[in-house]
Amino acid sequence: MGEVIPAGVIEILHSLNHFIVEDIRNARRFLVKSAYPHKIDDIVFFELNKHTSFADIPGFLVPCEEGKDIGIISEAGVPAIADPGAIIVEMAHNRNIRVIPLSGPSSILMALMASGLNGQNFAFMGYLPVNKKELSSTLKDMEIRSKRENQTQIFIETPYRNMRLFEEILKICNPATRLCIAKNLTTRDERIIVMAIEEWRKTKIDLNKQPSVFLIQA
């Protein structure tokens, strides 16, 4: 954990006992792995995910209004970047509660850093459409925009649909377009590969159920 999360962030983490998290069970495991020095059972957790009722969210900030600090823990990456969190951050600003971002392993930025693609002008497109026709159209539009604006396009997919997305990229994109695939970032199996589409078409790679970030630049 110390390899990807700064010691200063761990120190702050260990000073808190109120957390907003995506999944309480996973957050407990993360805190234990971080050598959290206090009793896990004494922690107050608020769960923020796609199942959370909007009406419940304002109540998550009550501890802050009582003078306590609250940490947001993301399942992967960093909060509010391709993960839940933005809504509670917005509410905090509206209530004049100070928001402090802490550095951590954002796979999106790490992939861009290691890609060699344009880091001065880039766009994160999130998850692309599941519908095949819409996916093809989106990929074409992204490639056109990339070429027109000299802009790196960054996107992700649910791991079990990675191969489907990869195959569609090879089918739709021009041979000269560069594609970077960064998979399993911050793990022992990390791989970051950058090639033109014409080279990717000759290459075999297994992306099934492996968290990956995709980047293209035309």
Side-chain angles (χ1 to χ4, degrees), residues 130-217:
V130 175
N131 178 275
K132 191 171 183 179
K133 186 176 181 180
E134 292 178 4
L135 173 59
S136 298
S137 177
T138 299
L139 284 170
K140 289 176 183 177
D141 290 343
M142 287 167 54
E143 188 177 39
I144 291 170
R145 182 178 177 184
S146 175
K147 188 174 183 63
R148 183 179 66 240
E149 301 182 20
N150 188 29
Q151 184 180 77
T152 301
Q153 303 285 302
I154 309 171
F155 47 102
I156 54 179
E157 181 53 283
T158 301
Y160 70 87
R161 286 201 292 259
N162 276 345
M163 289 305 297
R164 175 180 175 271
L165 173 58
F166 175 64
E167 291 165 2
E168 199 64 20
I169 293 170
L170 298 191
K171 186 189 302 181
I172 296 298
C173 291
N174 293 319
T177 292
R178 285 183 291 166
L179 166 66
C180 171
I181 297 178
K183 68 172 187 172
N184 296 321
L185 291 172
T186 75
T187 74
R188 293 180 180 179
D189 298 323
E190 175 182 285
R191 287 194 70 192
I192 301 164
I193 308 170
V194 187
M195 289 188 286
I197 294 295
E198 61 182 347
E199 293 300 319
W200 276 111
R201 288 171 178 163
K202 306 171 188 175
T203 304
K204 290 184 178 181
I205 186 171
D206 181 16
L207 302 175
N208 187 43
K209 297 182 180 179
Q210 300 183 57
S212 302
V213 180
F214 299 84
L215 307 89
I216 62 169
Q217 185 177 351

Side-chain angles (χ1 to χ4, degrees), residues 44-102:
V44 177
F45 288 106
F46 301 100
E47 204 164 55
L48 178 61
N49 54 43
K50 63 183 180 181
H51 303 296
T52 304
S53 169
F54 181 81
D56 293 336
I57 298 176
F60 296 176
L61 292 175
V62 170
C64 276
E65 294 171 331
E66 295 174 345
K68 301 179 179 69
D69 293 328
I70 301 179
I72 302 180
I73 299 177
S74 182
E75 285 285 282
V78 292
I81 307 296
D83 273 314
I87 187 170
I88 198 71
V89 171
E90 180 185 15
M91 288 182 178
H93 283 300
N94 290 339
R95 297 186 186 189
N96 293 316
I97 295 171
R98 185 182 179 192
V99 177
I100 303 174
L102 300 175

